């Protein structure tokens, strides 16, 4: 594939100056339109060392207003980044609606260069390539424009450029031993690039192969391609094109069978003495397991959903009490901030993932998409209907990273909720906890219940199972939750380290 | 000092349970008040290894709502953090108004433990201690409450705790060789703690010394102290107490003499040919210097201020064109976002500092505080009047870190501005650049001019000088700017590495 790129164009300095100025001005005025139509644009550059990516980026951004355009360089992951899922650091570069993100190298680093220079198994490589396609599809589905450039030069050209850089005292530091090695093994890298490009050359996010031999021709090619793709995207009513998705995707996921909420018994209770005894036991065990998680670098994600007043806060507090505050974080999820709203909806959850060995406790979660946002029409049917798949993919990514994932639905019945609402309202110290919104939500109980049933049906998986907690009796529910957490962690600690994942 | 703490209190489990529950509930209801009065609270824990900081934090936060309370652990700085000023990473922990930040270790790490275990000169230590006092004063002046705990145990007690941990298979990993070494050298560390505490025990941010021997007594001491300090802060009309400051602080800074704007000549021009030639020369030199900066890890901060339409954008573009896009960032400064407004005003500038070897170009700057915010009454007189000092301290911090700092005021006269406004308005492609606000600002020219003169007078320093750019002729101004930049970088590259700063 790469050898087909024409590497021999030539353009004079004068031609370039006038043509590039014109194109850049065109792009600059397109930027106003991008801002107005709130189109988020990701432009990424992959390519050979010394192929001139830096200069191409420089030419591209020169007339773009930096208020809405950021350049990011991707190098080897930092210590912290290695303690997160592979894709985590790239979510930081996902721009807000109306903004450009320009990337010098990208997530393709992990499936090309890094793959050859670190020890990545074939299985892990396939997993990463799939993750990338999923990631890009989720973004383009959400209206993102992704423009991917691969800048190509021949082995001979690269060698000559390295030699030229190495001769000049001012630039010799730019050519490392690693670079020379890569040039010698050009064919191996070429194969890896071709494989990655081939696997990820999707309709939604196609590759643009650019010849880097003539710097000027390359710059014009890049800017022209960006103008063409941005114009095309602005002319499409992107969101309107996406249809709602069928809820059932047979075979796509091995869903665990779940009962309907109406089938869940709520009659079990626990007396105070037994509760106190079990609470202390479970907390003691959890405290010890927290150390073990830390040592084994296992991340844990606890997701809490449930009816208003079902007891999420109290349950979370009982879990947290057993944990070292340096190793966990409670992540309360409220309405998205403007910054969050201007991005793909999973962005804020990616941002709040723990590092490995740590625990994140989500008080409300990404399931808001298929619960409150669905009921209240905060998103379109197309959006919430495809969210089941996106959420399963998200959790799969976390599981592949090695995380223990537990999801709790705290269940009470309507009468119990009413009792708790009334008791809160009559208690001056707790009355602030109950708002008009709680009453409004309550009036939509049936709608919510149908959504919860869909959620349980389509998102309970072996790697991220749902547990329905019988919270009618708070004490019973708390112990049930603690036991499920300790059991799942014990299971995991018995396991070997997850495949494909390497130690720091 | 530390030996005076009573290490021998004793409280029964029952007493503790009831007392701590009561205190925690009191704190939880105070949190509603903190939120309502928008009080930002920083609570930091320093102390001996195994003194029980983690458990104290756990007890403290148990009933605090995690929506407005975050725990942060401070360990050794990461690779990226080492490439920023020492205090940089701590600005990430500065909470929003109404929020709590709870820190396990803090900026005191750098003047106690780290100081003894790395090679920090006496001069650098003094500098760091001063920086800390400045940092805390700036926060408390801005209405922050800072509560500092030092948890003390004796050498013998520490040794016994280490031995106990080391005996248990589940906890032995918690005691490292380093810990044993610290215990053996207890006296040395003690001296260092005492010195740091003594130097930073300020009225605005006093230390609380806590005996960690009895875990329960310590927990009650901590929660009580937090309740007392928070209550006190809520009862004070903090901002009202702070008087406006005298502008002139003789001797505090060796200010460089600056002309008044009205004295600046604006008659120099440059013809197109000379401009083109010099532009190419200067850009070429700057391109080479950018490599050198990168290699020598010298950070560069370019700050652009000036009248509307004075040509900031065009000048910045000429500078940027010479730079590798992977090594610089243009930081456009607009009105602060809600997140930024809810914190001390320098927070957003700290966040946008480059890493060493990189260049940050600020399009408008922290001087907004003493320009637009002063003119438009967006802040109080007390706030803008003390900002001169705070800004000088901020820039001093950057200079001590090793940064080249250049500040440009782009000067044009009123007639020239009018011509440019009119020409923009008559050009359909540029008319979006001119808004009603520009006309409003123009009508306040004299007020702004007085503020600019104050700014130049009180903030031009040897380490962060102001340069008035004659932008009446844009070409002349651009070359003048480029020359100043290359000269300053050349000067710096000739220098030895800044004192006290260590290589990674």
């Amino acid at each position: 594939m790469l050898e087909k790129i024409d590497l021999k164009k030539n353009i004079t300095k004068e031609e370039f100056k006038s043509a590039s100025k014109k194109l850049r001005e065109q792009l600059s005025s397109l930027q106003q339109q991008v801002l107005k139509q709130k189109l988020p644009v990701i432009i990424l550059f992959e390519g050979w060392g010394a192929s001139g990516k830096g200069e191409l980026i420089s030419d591209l951004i020169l007339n773009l207003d930096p208020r809405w355009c950021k350049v990011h360089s991707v190098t080897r992951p930092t210590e912290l980044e290695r303690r997160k899922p592979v894709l985590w650091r790239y979510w930081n570069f996902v721009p807000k609606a109306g903004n450009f993100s320009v990337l010098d190298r990208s997530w393709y680093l992990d499936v090309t260069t890094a793959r050859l220079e670190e020890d990545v198994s074939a299985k892990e490589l396939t997993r990463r390539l799939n993750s990338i396609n999923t990631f890009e599809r989720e973004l383009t589905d959400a209206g993102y424009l992704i423009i991917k450039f691969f800048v190509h030069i021949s082995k001979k050209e690269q060698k000559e450029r390295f030699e030229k850089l190495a001769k000049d005292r001012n630039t010799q530091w730019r050519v490392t031993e690693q670079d020379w090695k890569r040039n010698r093994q050009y064919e191996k890298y070429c194969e890896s690039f071709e494989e990655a490009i081939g696997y990820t050359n999707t309709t939604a996010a196609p590759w643009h192969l650019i010849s880097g031999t003539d710097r000027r021709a390359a710059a014009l090619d890049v800017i022209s391609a960006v103008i063409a793709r941005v114009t095309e995207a602005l002319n499409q009513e992107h969101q309107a094109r996406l249809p709602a998705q069928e809820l059932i995707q047979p075979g796509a996921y091995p869903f665990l069978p779940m009962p309907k909420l109406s089938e869940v018994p709520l009659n079990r209770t626990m007396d105070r003495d037994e509760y106190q005894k079990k609470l202390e036991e479970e907390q003691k065990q959890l405290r010890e397991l927290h150390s073990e998680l830390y040592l084994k670098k296992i991340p844990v994600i606890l997701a809490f959903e449930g009816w208003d007043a079902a007891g999420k806060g109290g349950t979370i507090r009982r879990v947290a009490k057993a944990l070292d505050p340096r190793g966990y974080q409670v992540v309360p999820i409220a309405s998205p901030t403007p910054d969050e709203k201007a991005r793909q909806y999973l962005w804020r959850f990616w941002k709040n993932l723990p590092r490995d060995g740590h625990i994140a406790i989500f008080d409300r979660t990404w399931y808001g998409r298929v619960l409150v946002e669905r009921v209240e029409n905060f998103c379109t049917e197309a959006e919430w209907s495809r969210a089941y798949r996106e959420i399963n993919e998200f959790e799969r990514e976390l599981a592949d990273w090695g995380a223990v994932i537990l999801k709790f639905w705290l269940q009470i019945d309507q009468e119990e909720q009413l009792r708790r609402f009334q008791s809160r309202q009559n208690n001056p110290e707790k009355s602030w906890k109950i708002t008009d919104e709680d009453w409004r939500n309550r009036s939509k109980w049936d709608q919510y219940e149908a959504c919860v049933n869909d959620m349980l049906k389509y998102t309970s998986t072996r790697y991220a199972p749902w547990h329905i907690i019988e919270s009618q009796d708070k004490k019973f529910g708390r112990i049930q939750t603690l036991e499920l957490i300790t059991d799942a962690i014990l299971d995991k600690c018995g396991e070997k380290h997850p495949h494909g994942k390497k130690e720091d």
Side-chain angles (χ1 to χ4, degrees), chain A residues 442-460:
Chain A
R442 179 174 161 77
S443 70
K444 297 182 181 171
W445 185 284
D446 292 345
Q447 270 177 278
Y448 273 102
E449 181 162 332
C451 292
V452 174
N453 282 331
D454 276 347
M455 169 184 90
L456 296 172
K457 187 168 170 193
Y458 297 120
T459 62
S460 196

Side-chain angles (χ1 to χ4, degrees), chain A residues 470-488:
Chain A
E470 298 168 43
S471 283
Q472 191 89 348
D473 178 67
K474 284 186 182 181
K475 296 191 289 303
F476 182 86
R478 289 172 190 163
I479 299 300
Q480 192 188 2
T481 308
L482 277 163
E483 284 176 352
L484 285 162
I485 294 172
T486 50
D487 282 356

Side-chain angles (χ1 to χ4, degrees), chain A residues 259-277:
Chain A
K260 293 196 173 183
L261 285 189
S262 57
E263 298 160 9
V264 176
L266 289 171
N267 54 347
R268 290 195 280 182
T269 60
M270 189 172 283
D271 70 34
R272 178 149 294 278
D273 284 349
E274 190 186 355
Y275 168 70
Q276 282 297 353
K277 190 171 146 279

Side-chain angles (χ1 to χ4, degrees), chain A residues 346-357:
Chain A
L346 287 173
W347 182 76
R348 59 182 178 143
F349 305 107
W350 273 96
K351 276 197 44 152
N352 279 300
L353 293 179
R355 62 187 74 183
D356 61 19

